[in-house]
Amino acid sequence: VFLLLLLLDLRRLRRRRPTPRRPYHERTPRRGGGDGTPADAAMVEVVRGFESLVDRKMDSVIGSTAVPLDARFRTIRSSESNVSNFVADVLREGANADLALLNAGTLRADRIFEAGPFAMRDLVRLLPMADETVVLRISGADLVSALENGVSQYPRLDGRWPCVSALRFAFDPSRPPGHRIVPNSVLVA
């Protein structure tokens, strides 16, 4: 078990207070795991117990899929995909919103999930960060602007690519960024 302990010298923290003009940065020494300091045997056992518990929870099946879910970056960051549609649909339903828009950078697995059982470990691979969900009212112009931002770097595999639910749009990659959304193509379903 690799255990990394960060130790702070609290006396140094008391000497220097952050201010708006002087932001606070502190370098902290790392102890354990690589500097020859032996691991504490009791702590190793505590960590192993938690690892075992987490492994059991991560292997629990939370659903299943009848088809493979394509979460490869080359797919989700350049086109519509079944996994990005699914996540956007769940987000929209969970937020009770008219539509959902999230960026493909939220989806992090970069793999295909085969058809069959879907475990908590798979969900954490797909969505490892606890991003906040925000429900807001926006104008059509702001929605188009957000979509323009999402397709602005195409064909680069950029995390800003829009994953949508209850929303359709078309874009023309030959046009310059900021003018790629095809006029009158945005439809809230």
Side-chain angles (χ1 to χ4, degrees):
V1 173
F2 177 73
L3 184 59
L4 177 67
L5 299 175
L6 296 177
L7 301 176
L8 293 175
D9 180 351
L10 294 177
R11 290 172 293 173
R12 289 190 318 194
L13 289 175
R14 287 188 199 116
R15 282 195 302 250
R16 183 159 188 255
R17 300 274 186 225
T19 66
R21 289 188 179 174
R22 198 173 86 186
Y24 183 75
H25 297 283
E26 180 69 39
R27 292 185 187 267
T28 57
R30 294 181 178 207
R31 303 278 190 243
D35 67 352
T37 305
D40 180 274
M43 185 56 69
V44 168
E45 285 306 309
V46 168
V47 170
R48 283 188 181 145
F50 279 110
E51 286 177 337
S52 176
L53 174 67
V54 168
D55 276 344
R56 286 192 308 275
K57 296 284 187 185
M58 294 291 278
D59 289 335
S60 62
V61 174
I62 58 172
S64 64
T65 176
V67 298
L69 299 176
D70 189 351
R72 293 173 298 176
F73 289 166
R74 70 178 186 226
T75 303
I76 63 172
R77 293 183 175 193
S78 65
S79 64
E80 185 175 18
S81 76
N82 59 358
V83 74
S84 61
N85 286 348
F86 173 71
V87 172
D89 288 345
V90 169
L91 180 64
R92 180 179 54 84
E93 287 291 325
N96 194 29
D98 294 330
L99 62 93
L101 171 64
L102 70 141
N103 67 54
T106 300
L107 309 176
R108 307 296 291 188
D110 197 21
R111 61 175 291 183
I112 293 176
F113 294 97
E114 296 301 330
F118 195 81
M120 179 60 78
R121 186 177 309 279
D122 299 321
L123 181 61
V124 170
R125 281 184 184 135
L126 183 62
L127 297 164
M129 299 167 283
D131 291 339
E132 293 197 25
T133 300
V134 178
V135 178
L136 49 95
R137 183 178 307 272
I138 63 170
S139 68
D142 287 341
L143 178 58
V144 171
S145 180
L147 293 171
E148 284 286 1
N149 179 57
V151 300
S152 66
Q153 300 303 307
Y154 182 87
R156 193 171 87 197
L157 301 180
D158 202 74
R160 72 182 65 224
W161 182 264
C163 303
V164 300
S165 174
L167 176 66
R168 292 177 152 201
F169 69 95
F171 81 104
D172 181 349
S174 69
R175 296 184 55 110
H179 302 284
R180 291 182 169 177
I181 299 298
V182 174
N184 300 316
S185 71
V186 178
L187 173 67
V188 177

